[in-house]
Amino acid sequence: NAGVTQTPKFRILKIGQSMTLQCTQDMNHNYMYWYRQDPGMGLKLIYYSVGAGITDKGEVPNGYNVSRTTTEDFPLRLELAAPSQTSVYFCASSLDRGTGELFFGEGSRLTVL
Amino acid sequence: DQQVKQNSPSLSVQEGRISILNCDYTNSMFDYFLWYKKYPAEGPTFLISISSIKDKNEDGRFTVFLNKSAKHLSLHIVPSQPGDSAVYFCAASARGSGANNLFFGTGTRLTVIP
């Protein structure tokens, strides 16, 4: 009954470092997403995937990369971290394209100093 | 440009009274609207939704109203309970775009006072 699991929950990075946020879902959902939420702002879509091997950019993809080699996993890679990437990151999944009813993970708070 | 707006950052309501959370949108192509609820240190969870072919959808204590001409929707919670204290996000999607084109508002923090 895990749903969507994200790791790590917290991370502090130095400018220029790289890291990967992990996301796993056990609901056999086809669609997976990465959102970021900045203070006082709504969630913005970074990347999404409609199935293994298929990914596409969302509204704010710059500075990030994703891969989807399995149905379960959808890692988000930050290359050359910048202070502007300080945010809370949410991974989500849905069974299909549907109407927007997403299942979210608990979030990963990233600080870039 | 924020296509989905929640102009009230916070709202306080006494337990047992009605909570009304408001949301405005600018894109006339939006045809499906959702409310998500978020507790601290947790991810958002889906609460209730409404299609543009309806003007009201009810689920227990939660009712969402849609006024298409005003591009406005509202979430009513009655009676409000302390466990309803959370941040509520309004979200909208456009025809055919589904979940990969979901626009979120900035959220309203609801505090229900016992």
Side-chain angles (χ1 to χ4, degrees), chain A residues 33 37 42 45 97 99-100 102 104-105, chain B residues 32 36 43-44 89 96-97 99-100 105:
Chain A
Y33 316 82
Q37 185 191 11
L45 184 63
R97 189 177 184 131
T99 51
L102 309 182
F104 283 88
Chain B
Y32 202 80
Y36 281 84
F89 291 97
S97 64
N100 51 293

Side-chain angles (χ1 to χ4, degrees), chain A residues 7 11 21 29 32 39-42 49-50 62 66 75-77 85 111:
Chain A
T7 57
R11 181 73 186 266
L21 297 175
H29 283 173
M32 295 188 74
M41 303 296 288
S49 169
V50 304
N62 291 345
V66 293
L76 178 71
R77 177 84 177 160
Q85 294 178 303
T111 302

Side-chain angles (χ1 to χ4, degrees), chain B:
Chain B
D1 59 337
Q2 193 76 14
Q3 299 191 50
V4 178
K5 300 177 183 178
Q6 294 176 258
N7 293 318
S8 298
S10 62
L11 174 68
S12 291
V13 172
Q14 289 286 339
E15 181 179 4
R17 306 295 289 268
I18 185 170
S19 295
I20 300 177
L21 294 89
N22 294 303
C23 178
D24 298 294
Y25 61 96
T26 58
N27 189 339
S28 58
M29 297 297 289
F30 288 150
D31 64 346
Y32 202 80
F33 305 89
L34 307 93
W35 286 93
Y36 281 84
K37 177 179 181 179
K38 185 183 179 305
Y39 292 117
E42 294 185 10
T45 55
F46 169 74
L47 185 60
I48 192 170
S49 62
I50 188 167
S51 165
S52 61
I53 63 173
K54 296 183 177 181
D55 54 17
K56 176 183 174 181
N57 188 28
E58 190 172 355
D59 183 2
R61 295 186 297 112
F62 302 90
T63 303
V64 57
F65 295 91
L66 176 62
N67 182 334
K68 291 184 289 293
S69 61
K71 293 190 177 67
H72 177 84
L73 65 155
S74 60
L75 174 68
H76 292 211
I77 306 173
V78 55
S80 300
Q81 299 174 353
D84 296 329
S85 297
V87 177
Y88 290 79
F89 291 97
C90 172
S93 66
R95 287 184 188 89
S97 64
N100 51 293
N101 200 10
L102 195 60
F103 292 87
F104 283 85
T106 53
T108 296
R109 182 178 302 278
L110 173 66
T111 302
V112 180
I113 304 164

